[in-house]
Amino acid sequence: MTSPAPWQPWIDGELAARALEAVQAIADELLEAPGWLPDGVSAESAGALHASLASGRAGQALFFAYLSLAGHGEDCSERALALLDEATDAVAAIPMTDSLYSGFPGIAWVTDHLRGRLFTDAETGGAAEESDVDSALLGALDASAWRGEYDLINGLTGIGVYALEGAPRPGAAACLERVIECLAERAGDSPEGAAWFSPPETLPAFQRADYPAGLFNLGVSHGAAGVVGLLGAACRAGRAASAGPLLERAMAWLLARRQEPGASFCFPHFHAPGVAPRPSRLAWCYGDAGMAAVLWIAARAAGEPAWERAAREVALAAAARPPETARVQDAGLCHGAAGLAHIFGRLARDMGEERLGVAARVWLQRALAFRTPGCGAGGFPDPPVRRTFSSAGPTSQSKGGAQ
């Protein structure tokens, strides 16, 4: 398997200057911005979301931390630490769910991720040997059979991502092992492999109308691809011995969902027996770009040439897809143009494929084209309500946060 090339800039000249200008404008706007919230969020959930990874202070702390690491000044690191302090203080004061994106695990993930990058334990006066978050999550995972979601955004997979980041801690390592056990318990086995079925009563109304008997979700954000990404990352990090066998079975099922050559897309959003697969969008959350990234993670973890070939083929097919068929309507990371630029840029480096680099630059240009001065953060309009977020939003789970 090829080794990734050293990190290096993949844009320069005018495009780089426009990108840096937009980044600075976003940073300036976020100095005053309270954080984005979906419409219809209750007052009791607003405080938690304002602190969260997806919509609040923890996510902003991550942004300013990386600005600092990229050499944009000491004030960025100070801003990042102040935002992270606000978010962690909120964990003790506000009831939160165990969602990676909107709950306390996401805030703890940012803390673990920035430890050693932005600050050390000596600077914060504490050691990283124990964590109340680890204990809270282990309690939720071990109390009984897991009854919540299994996905990345709100469920088991997201908790696993948190635990993998903190896995040098015994509690986090134990949490990761338990997450994989729970995922294995939830998986349905078939001759094609392991998959995770979503019965109709767990679906939001707009999905249940189209899939009244339930479905298998293939997405990174809410489906099997997200599980595969976690399992691959755990294997590559040498964590959780049980991840390897489950990864092999999950990959077999996922690759069986790939469309025949000549189709306009490689993977649909959903699979339901007896229902024809529908063309997918091009995005991280659902569709071929995110799928290519997940397949590559799994291939690198397992050293499996067939998986690497599949990842490369899916990535190149996604890069060649006409933008007018991608259904991209904004510049965001989840299902927008900037997310595609980021994925193609990473895969271009890892795979050594210049065609992916070209796609990355095309999608970055399209992301910048969405910029409208005076509109939203740094000129990027506020996003519309995300059905993938609000369908399993912060009030959908009853488990509290670490108090």
Side-chain angles (χ1 to χ4, degrees):
M1 181 172 294
T2 58
S3 298
W7 283 109
Q8 57 185 349
W10 50 269
I11 57 172
D12 56 18
E14 180 188 1
L15 182 57
R18 290 174 60 205
L20 288 172
E21 179 188 3
V23 169
Q24 187 59 58
I26 292 170
D28 292 343
E29 187 77 19
L30 287 180
L31 290 173
E32 302 297 333
W36 174 77
L37 297 175
D39 292 340
V41 171
S42 64
E44 63 185 16
S45 298
L49 283 175
H50 271 307
S52 70
L53 171 60
S55 301
R57 299 309 196 202
Q60 292 176 17
L62 195 67
F63 171 74
F64 281 104
Y66 270 90
L67 278 183
S68 174
L69 293 171
H72 285 262
E74 182 69 22
D75 56 333
C76 289
S77 63
E78 293 175 356
R79 179 62 174 165
L81 288 170
L83 288 163
L84 187 56
D85 284 344
E86 287 186 44
T88 53
D89 287 347
V91 173
I94 302 170
M96 295 188 186
T97 71
D98 44 28
S99 158
L100 177 70
Y101 272 47
S102 60
F104 67 92
I107 298 170
W109 179 88
V110 173
T111 301
D112 283 340
H113 186 73
L114 296 183
R115 180 179 286 113
R117 291 180 169 91
L118 188 67
F119 64 89
T120 65
D121 288 313
E123 292 172 321
T124 56
E129 295 301 318
E130 298 182 1
S131 166
D132 290 341
V133 174
D134 296 343
S135 299
L137 291 173
L138 276 171
L141 291 165
D142 290 339
S144 61
W146 179 261
R147 300 183 186 279
E149 303 288 346
Y150 74 87
D151 68 338
L152 173 64
I153 298 291
N154 291 307
L156 285 168
T157 304
I159 294 173
V161 169
Y162 155 76
L164 182 59
E165 189 71 27
R169 291 191 306 274
C175 185
L176 179 60
E177 289 279 4
R178 182 58 186 144
V179 162
I180 294 173
E181 289 175 4
C182 290
L183 286 169
E185 291 166 2
R186 283 281 293 269
D189 274 315
S190 73
E192 292 180 316
W196 289 266
F197 181 69
S198 298
E201 63 270 17
T202 67
L203 301 177
F206 71 92
Q207 287 180 357
R208 193 164 55 248
D210 293 335
Y211 298 91
L215 55 81
F216 292 91
N217 193 313
L218 273 66
V220 177
S221 58
H222 289 293
V227 179
V228 165
L230 169 65
L231 296 173
C235 289
R236 187 165 176 79
R239 303 284 178 184
S242 59
L246 186 57
L247 173 63
E248 186 174 348
R249 289 157 47 214
M251 276 290 288
W253 186 90
L254 197 61
L255 289 173
R257 308 279 76 77
R258 187 176 174 185
Q259 301 301 291
E260 294 295 328
S264 62
F265 62 101
C266 297
F267 289 92
H269 295 179
F270 310 118
H271 168 71
V275 180
R278 302 176 183 179
S280 61
R281 72 192 314 162
L282 191 61
W284 166 81
C285 54
Y286 288 96
D288 296 339
M291 195 68 71
V294 163
L295 296 178
W296 185 252
I297 290 170
R300 293 177 70 188
E304 175 53 65
W307 295 0
E308 181 177 348
R309 285 194 300 273
R312 191 179 299 272
E313 290 166 1
V314 173
L316 290 172
R321 184 165 167 178
E324 57 269 20
T325 71
R327 290 157 44 194
V328 172
Q329 300 178 0
D330 61 40
L333 287 174
C334 178
H335 46 263
L340 292 175
H342 180 62
I343 291 172
F344 287 131
R346 291 290 295 264
L347 291 178
R349 167 190 176 262
D350 285 2
M351 295 181 178
E353 287 280 0
E354 176 53 25
R355 285 173 287 181
L356 299 177
V358 171
R361 290 185 284 275
V362 166
W363 281 106
L364 180 58
Q365 289 172 332
R366 294 182 76 88
L368 292 171
F370 281 106
R371 191 177 177 209
T372 304
C375 186
F380 293 96
D382 293 337
V385 174
R386 307 309 191 196
R387 293 201 297 183
T388 55
F389 182 91
S390 59
S391 66
T395 60
S396 65
Q397 297 185 29
S398 60
K399 301 178 184 66
Q403 296 297 312

